Amino acid sequence: MSKAKTSTRWDLTARVLAAILGGYAAAYAATAFLSVYLPLMRSDRVVFASLACFVVYTFAIIYAFAARSALRVWLVLAGATALMALAAYLPSDFGVRP
């Protein structure tokens, strides 16, 4: 028989902040990433990326409360945000952007 894990105030606060701030950052980075790399016309890329950011934000919020620990939520959201932002904002002088 397993005992339900009780969450502390700190854990709940960390999850709420991760959902709000980390989710926003991940959605922002996903929008930038998709608006650079989607194989569509520029205007279509921006519209699709802007609409897709709501999906990313929703998944980030759901993940913030479904993950095992608040630390894991912060690490996953920060890592995904950093990777997408780095790929989106790399200078085109390096020849890595399409």
Side-chain angles (χ1 to χ4, degrees):
M1 176 184 266
S2 67
K3 184 177 179 182
K5 180 182 174 187
T6 59
S7 61
T8 62
R9 286 185 176 192
W10 168 246
D11 186 56
L12 183 62
T13 303
R15 287 178 190 266
V16 169
L17 287 176
I20 295 171
L21 300 175
Y24 182 81
Y28 180 78
T31 303
F33 178 80
L34 290 175
S35 64
V36 170
Y37 289 103
L38 279 177
L40 300 170
M41 289 179 37
R42 184 179 181 145
S43 59
D44 294 337
R45 280 187 297 187
V46 172
V47 169
F48 185 82
S50 299
L51 292 175
C53 79
F54 293 108
V55 175
V56 172
Y57 201 14
T58 303
F59 279 124
I61 291 171
I62 291 170
Y63 180 70
F65 293 100
R68 288 186 180 195
S69 70
L71 178 63
R72 181 178 289 188
V73 172
W74 277 106
L75 289 176
V76 167
L77 289 179
T81 301
L83 286 177
M84 287 187 292
L86 188 63
Y89 292 112
L90 277 177
S92 61
D93 296 338
F94 295 144
V96 294
R97 289 177 69 175

